Amino acid sequence: MSAVYLAMVVAGLALVVWGLPAAHRLKKPLDILAALAVLVGVVVALLGALLVAVPGFFKG
């Protein structure tokens, strides 16, 4: 399971790295999607980092 959590961190960071410049480079309706991708990337990366550090966090 740890590989899945590491993949979440990598995918989240990839979304952030792509979305930050794209939010400034793309035209009006698409820049909002890029900004949302950054937000999703931050959430996914933080969730993946949490699950790597504490694997049973969401298990009662």
Side-chain angles (χ1 to χ4, degrees):
M1 271 310 195
S2 183
V4 174
Y5 302 149
L6 287 175
M8 286 176 64
V9 173
V10 170
L13 290 176
L15 280 173
V16 171
V17 167
W18 172 81
L20 281 176
H24 298 285
R25 184 183 60 234
L26 296 176
K27 300 253 186 246
K28 187 63 171 164
L30 295 178
D31 65 342
I32 296 171
L33 293 175
L36 287 174
V38 171
L39 178 63
V40 169
V42 167
V43 170
V44 169
L46 286 175
L47 183 62
L50 172 70
L51 290 172
V52 165
V54 185
F57 185 77
F58 291 112
K59 295 181 181 168

